Amino acid sequence: MEFSEKSAIGGTLLWYYSICRREVWLMARKIVPEERNEDIAIGSLIDQNSYSREKHQISFRDNKIDFLQQKDGMLVVSEIKKSSRAEKASMLQLAHYLYELEKEGFAASGVLLYPKEKKRTEVVLTDALRRQLDAAYAEIEKISASETPPSLTKCKYCAKCAYGEYCWS
């Protein structure tokens, strides 16, 4: 099986790709978002305080997996999110983790966890998701290699974006 993605693409970059291409460009250049952003702080607190019996932030390649479990002989990758508002982006991020593990010979499934909503969404890596990831990797490489950021495009996430000062100030 041939993989098109370069190892420097982590799950968070996939999440940003699903939200805003400009964020991808900024993140690829190691420009950090506003660290005092309320949403980032709340997300970190939810991650730290949820599922406290599990070991959090497991590093794997260029990724930080929230936590792993073994259930019925199967590896389950869990990703904790503040809300399901960006579920499509979260699903792509988690699928990326599953794909990375698959490349190393580990079969795994995933679950998105939304503690505040008491919701969970199962994620299984399918051929369709692999194709979607391969297309995203190619686009991320193209965006990252560009000399200039993608043009400004206002979306529903802009109001609370930690990168807002780079776009709208």
Side-chain angles (χ1 to χ4, degrees):
M1 183 182 297
E2 184 181 325
F3 301 106
S4 64
E5 174 261 348
K6 296 197 177 11
S7 65
I9 297 175
T12 305
L13 196 57
L14 263 293
W15 190 88
Y16 280 122
Y17 170 79
S18 297
I19 302 296
C20 174
R21 304 304 199 258
R22 194 172 177 91
E23 285 181 315
V24 169
W25 189 87
L26 291 164
M27 190 176 196
R29 280 164 177 65
K30 309 274 189 259
I31 298 171
V32 294
E34 172 59 52
E35 292 177 358
R36 293 172 299 210
N37 179 280
E38 184 179 313
D39 282 335
I40 289 176
I42 290 170
S44 292
L45 284 172
I46 289 171
D47 180 47
Q48 291 168 9
N49 296 316
S50 300
Y51 307 95
S52 57
R53 287 181 269 169
E54 305 298 335
K55 181 180 182 252
H56 286 246
Q57 297 298 313
I58 298 160
S59 293
F60 180 72
R61 288 189 174 185
D62 293 310
N63 304 290
K64 291 244 192 255
I65 294 171
D66 284 347
F67 67 90
L68 297 171
Q69 293 178 312
Q70 192 79 7
K71 286 193 177 174
D72 301 323
M74 179 73 152
L75 187 62
V76 179
V77 178
S78 297
E79 183 67 20
I80 303 168
K81 294 297 182 185
K82 184 177 69 162
S83 80
S84 59
R85 183 172 179 224
E87 189 165 60
K88 182 179 175 187
S90 299
M91 194 170 292
L92 197 61
Q93 178 182 5
L94 183 51
H96 167 74
Y97 297 150
L98 299 175
Y99 202 20
E100 291 286 286
L101 287 165
E102 180 181 82
K103 292 173 192 178
E104 295 297 324
F106 298 100
S109 63
V111 62
L112 293 169
L113 302 167
Y114 308 100
K116 289 198 152 256
E117 298 174 9
K118 294 182 172 53
K119 178 182 172 181
R120 56 187 291 127
T121 302
E122 305 290 327
V123 177
V124 176
L125 186 60
T126 62
D127 286 339
L129 265 175
R130 283 183 197 89
R131 285 189 300 275
Q132 188 178 353
L133 284 165
D134 284 337
Y137 299 144
E139 184 66 20
I140 288 169
E141 288 295 325
K142 183 178 165 190
I143 292 167
S144 299
S146 175
E147 291 293 319
T148 58
S151 60
L152 288 172
T153 305
K154 196 156 183 80
C155 73
K156 66 182 182 179
Y157 300 103
C158 288
K160 294 184 176 186
C161 178
Y163 280 111
E165 68 182 56
Y166 293 101
C167 299
W168 310 110
S169 58

